[in-house]
Amino acid sequence: MPGQRKRKRQRQRKLAEFSREADRFGPDAGRWELRYATRNESEWQAELRRLRTEEPGLDRDAVRLDMLCGRSTHPTTYRLSVFVPHPAPEEPAAAPLPAPDPPADPEEGP
């Protein structure tokens, strides 16, 4: 069938991308920290713009935007979360070497 090879490569690329994201944002790598929650969509978008301007080095993939759809009893809620990686494990400090024995006093006898 025409185009089958192209579709297969696209599928493989998507699977590889999902795998990289799972490794990068998985539970072993860190946690999602809730930064902002509101019921007003315009406030939510304003907070996102503020976050992007105040933290220019923030990776766009490390920001999660959630819209929890409401029903009659629960209103719609908008949430903004940022991925916080676990701190790198510190290398254990080398144990201090024991102090050398003081030299023997030559005037003292055995």
Side-chain angles (χ1 to χ4, degrees):
M1 294 185 80
Q4 186 173 2
R5 185 178 302 154
K6 180 180 175 183
R7 285 191 303 272
K8 184 177 181 181
R9 273 188 261 132
Q10 286 174 342
R11 235 185 347 259
Q12 288 173 342
R13 254 186 261 125
K14 285 182 182 179
L15 288 174
E17 183 180 329
F18 290 142
S19 175
R20 281 191 301 274
E21 283 189 17
D23 291 343
R24 186 172 166 207
F25 298 118
D28 294 338
R31 61 184 170 78
W32 288 97
E33 180 180 285
L34 179 65
R35 286 280 184 97
Y36 189 75
T38 185
R39 292 185 181 154
N40 187 330
E41 185 176 6
S42 60
E43 288 177 7
W44 177 56
Q45 291 172 350
E47 180 65 21
L48 176 60
R49 283 191 295 274
R50 186 198 62 75
L51 180 69
R52 286 181 176 161
T53 57
E54 289 183 5
E55 297 183 33
L58 186 64
D59 182 15
R60 288 182 179 256
D61 292 337
V63 176
R64 189 173 75 189
L65 305 170
D66 299 319
M67 182 176 70
L68 307 175
C69 295
R71 300 263 188 315
S72 59
T73 58
H74 300 294
T76 300
T77 304
Y78 302 93
R79 295 175 19 171
L80 177 79
S81 302
V82 177
F83 188 77
V84 179
H86 292 305
E90 295 181 16
E91 292 186 22
L97 297 174
D101 292 333
D105 191 11
E107 293 183 10
E108 278 187 26

